[in-house]
Amino acid sequence: KLQARDLRLEYTVFNMQRNVLSLVRSLRRGDSLERFTQHDALRLTTGLGQRFRSSLSFSVEEGEDGFVDLANGKLKLLCAAENNWSAPKPTLSGLDSPAEKVAVVRSALTPLDASASWASLNQLVTRVDDKVVAIDASVIQRKPLVDTYVRSGSSFALEDSSVCLLKYLKAQGVRVHMEPAVETIKSAGAAFTARQSSNEVLMMAPTGFQSNLQAAQDNYFMAGAKGERFTSNEAVRNKVLEEYHGLYHVLTQEAGLKVNLMSYTELHGTPDACFPNNWFSTCGDTLTLYPMKVPNRQLERREDIIEFLKTKNYKNMLDLSVTEQEAPPRYLEGTGSLVLDHIGGVAYVAVSERSDVKLAQEWADKLGFKEVVAYHSVDREGRAIYHTNVVQAIGTSFAVIVGESIRDEAERANVMAKLGATREVIDITYDQMDQFCGNVLEVENDRGLPVLALSTQAYDGFTPAQRETLLKHVAALHHAPVPTLEAIGGGGVRCCIAEVF
């Protein structure tokens, strides 16, 4: 206790000296003394004692802002303002707590004299429940770290230092939500363990890619690569593969996704197989196979990949592909046709030849989704847009929609109201749709946070204000240029990714 008292006094004196120097430097610059507020005066005379007491002092009482208890009281978070704790301490003593682990949170990249330093833990994380916390987007940019301690008798011994806070919480079984997501989940009446996005995905490298003339009949996004002249299918494939390498790097090395990467050849006869999200999806404990309109896309349902997916131990398999044989046939092309609100249990469907509403309702009934919201979306020429996921995207707490593509006012009002009830809506234009701004996907990074996967064309298509809005809801915008794939394949980054829940 005496050591703790002396340490507090030492830092109090240090903080007083630092603030006096700050005042002197300011006056030397010619600043008026009147610019200092009462708060500045208190800081000067108390040496930031309150900030020190709430973040480092060993005598802080339970329930103050310096503590967040998690995992049934077995884990305790403390906040260390940088001017008090600039390096890990070998031991923590005098802490009266039954916790088995203590993590001291700090921002090593914040200047020591920054007024934005965290005064209390509640400025950093909000406890939602025993295994869930919420974090603000601005905090993520400051790369919070933790020094971790484990109980050693009556004190705590240093276990590790400078560990990423978010990775540490994930390892301890604590789920981290972006701050706006908490209200979304509450509004939907879902559990805080509900997940909109996944860290694991399946992708198909475009090793057998070429332009698919069968799909071009109603995919008007297949316009051809502008400014590019390819002499052969091999030249096209090599260019697309070059772009895909960059996308794979961004998703695995920057976003930290677990990517199950498959491939195919021309012998498979499936030129569009690099868009696997159209023939299967996973949701809950169910693996679903979907009916495809284009004959050579039906061949994408490969038995070897289905067998691989079965190793993920899904209890049920729903095979809707049999509707291809009905008269007339009905189609529902996976998460190209279905844009899913996993948290709220709502499936959105833009009606087209590839998206049958009754079949979507059958899917929703079998998987326990509460509602199907159907609407008609058309391009500038009034032609039905072939897939829902080029006009709409849904994240945990945001949604993107091409509002002007829904010409029926009642349908548009219904969709906007439904989305706006639980999410911040970003309404994009036809021009932005052409840049694949609607074809984006929220995924979960290796720290357990939502991030957005998109093409560089889509990233550039969003306005600076829209990108700023997105960054309130996701930790990062991970993008890569895939212009040849978009132009010749008619699909963007979202189409390349099939989530594995």
Side-chain angles (χ1 to χ4, degrees):
K1 288 183 178 179
L2 286 173
Q3 288 177 337
R5 184 200 65 185
D6 293 342
L7 191 62
R8 289 198 300 275
L9 288 172
E10 179 183 339
Y11 278 113
T12 299
V13 172
F14 168 77
N15 284 324
M16 289 177 68
Q17 291 172 335
R18 195 194 65 180
N19 283 284
V20 169
L21 287 173
S22 177
L23 172 59
V24 171
R25 292 192 191 102
S26 183
L27 292 174
R28 281 178 178 171
R29 291 196 301 266
D31 292 338
S32 168
L33 187 61
E34 284 73 18
R35 69 178 290 274
F36 289 92
T37 64
Q38 184 180 12
H39 174 69
D40 296 311
L42 285 171
R43 288 179 62 197
L44 180 62
T45 55
T46 63
L48 297 178
Q50 173 61 31
R51 287 176 63 187
F52 173 78
R53 182 176 67 81
S54 66
S55 62
L56 179 65
S57 169
F58 298 113
S59 60
V60 176
E61 296 180 3
E62 298 290 335
E64 295 201 21
D65 285 349
F67 289 112
V68 169
D69 285 314
L70 298 165
N72 295 320
K74 295 180 180 180
L75 171 63
K76 183 180 289 290
L77 297 185
L78 298 175
C79 180
E82 279 300 328
N83 47 34
N84 299 319
W85 186 296
S86 56
K89 315 302 177 189
T91 60
L92 290 178
S93 58
L95 187 61
D96 184 18
S97 171
E100 297 174 3
K101 298 180 180 181
V102 172
V104 181
V105 187
R106 58 190 175 92
S107 174
L109 299 177
T110 300
L112 294 183
D113 59 351
S115 60
S117 293
W118 298 311
S120 72
L121 199 60
N122 286 342
Q123 291 179 295
L124 171 61
V125 295
T126 301
R127 184 184 186 280
V128 178
D129 65 25
D130 198 48
K131 292 187 177 181
V132 179
V133 297
I135 190 166
D136 188 81
S138 63
V139 171
I140 297 168
Q141 308 305 320
R142 294 162 65 183
K143 304 295 189 292
L145 304 175
V146 290
D147 301 321
T148 65
Y149 295 81
V150 293
R151 180 171 289 284
S152 177
S154 61
S155 61
F156 293 84
L158 181 66
E159 177 188 36
D160 203 354
S161 67
S162 305
V163 179
C164 169
L165 168 65
L166 304 174
K167 287 186 177 181
Y168 177 75
L169 290 174
K170 184 177 181 181
Q172 301 306 311
V174 177
R175 184 159 181 78
V176 180
H177 283 297
M178 300 284 285
E179 194 74 54
V182 176
E183 290 306 316
T184 296
I185 296 169
K186 284 181 180 177
S187 299
F192 284 108
T193 53
R195 299 170 63 200
Q196 176 63 28
S197 49
S198 174
N199 176 255
E200 184 175 0
V201 302
L202 184 143
M203 298 177 67
M204 296 286 293
T207 45
F209 178 85
Q210 63 186 58
S211 180
N212 188 355
L213 297 179
Q214 292 183 22
Q217 295 174 9
D218 63 349
N219 182 350
Y220 306 113
F221 290 83
M222 298 171 64
K226 296 179 181 178
E228 293 278 5
R229 298 185 66 182
F230 296 103
T231 57
S232 66
N233 285 333
E234 184 179 4
V236 172
R237 186 178 307 122
N238 288 340
K239 181 62 176 177
V240 170
L241 271 170
E242 178 186 329
E243 297 172 357
Y244 202 86
H245 273 261
L247 174 62
Y248 179 75
H249 175 83
V250 166
L251 295 179
T252 57
Q253 302 304 307
E254 296 181 17
L257 292 190
K258 160 63 176 170
V259 176
N260 300 291
L261 188 62
M262 315 291 172
S263 60
Y264 61 106
T265 71
E266 286 188 69
L267 295 178
H268 285 105
T270 56
D272 275 346
C274 58
F275 305 132
N277 73 307
N278 297 144
W279 68 263
F280 87 91
S281 75
T282 60
C283 187
D285 58 3
T286 302
L287 166 64
T288 304
L289 307 181
Y290 293 94
M292 310 276 279
K293 177 189 174 186
V294 177
N296 64 15
R297 296 217 62 190
Q298 296 170 6
L299 301 176
E300 293 175 24
R301 295 189 300 267
R302 281 169 37 187
E303 198 60 37
D304 55 342
I305 299 178
I306 294 172
E307 289 303 312
F308 166 76
L309 290 167
K310 287 180 180 178
T311 66
K312 301 297 179 179
N313 297 319
Y314 296 105
K315 295 179 181 178
N316 306 306
M317 188 169 85
L318 175 61
D319 189 356
L320 299 177
S321 65
V322 293
T323 63
E324 292 169 353
Q325 310 306 320
E326 293 179 354
R330 294 186 297 160
Y331 309 112
L332 188 69
E333 299 193 338
T335 51
S337 297
L338 298 164
V339 172
L340 302 175
D341 172 2
H342 289 277
I343 295 172
V346 181
Y348 292 83
V349 181
V351 180
S352 73
E353 290 184 6
R354 304 195 191 195
S355 303
D356 184 89
V357 176
K358 289 185 178 179
L359 195 53
Q361 187 63 60
E362 291 175 24
W363 175 91
D365 292 341
K366 290 178 180 177
L367 271 80
F369 269 61
K370 301 174 185 175
E371 183 180 4
V372 172
V373 177
Y375 59 91
H376 295 78
S377 179
V378 298
D379 63 15
R380 293 180 182 85
E381 285 71 42
R383 300 172 298 192
I385 294 176
Y386 78 114
H387 274 164
T388 315
N389 72 359
V390 295
V391 296
Q392 185 182 2
I394 294 180
T396 301
S397 54
F398 73 92
V400 178
I401 185 79
V402 187
E404 64 181 331
S405 73
I406 309 174
R407 301 284 178 85
D408 185 280
E409 292 185 7
E411 283 189 350
R412 183 169 63 248
N414 180 52
V415 171
M416 291 299 194
K418 180 65 66 175
L419 291 172
T422 55
R423 289 168 170 80
E424 184 167 7
V425 179
I426 300 171
D427 193 358
I428 61 174
T429 64
Y430 274 132
D431 287 341
Q432 291 176 303
M433 178 188 74
D434 292 341
Q435 293 175 278
F436 290 89
C437 291
N439 198 238
V440 300
L441 179 66
E442 180 189 284
V443 291
E444 187 179 288
N445 70 8
D446 55 355
R447 297 179 295 167
L449 288 177
V451 295
L452 195 65
L454 69 167
S455 70
T456 298
Q457 181 179 201
Y459 177 87
D460 293 338
F462 284 112
T463 67
Q466 288 171 335
R467 290 197 291 266
E468 186 176 338
T469 297
L470 286 168
L471 285 170
K472 292 191 302 183
H473 302 275
V474 296
L477 307 176
H478 293 295
H479 61 93
V482 288
T484 312
L485 180 65
E486 289 172 325
I488 295 180
V493 166
R494 194 276 169 266
C495 296
C496 294
I497 303 172
E499 304 105 298
V500 177
F501 283 96

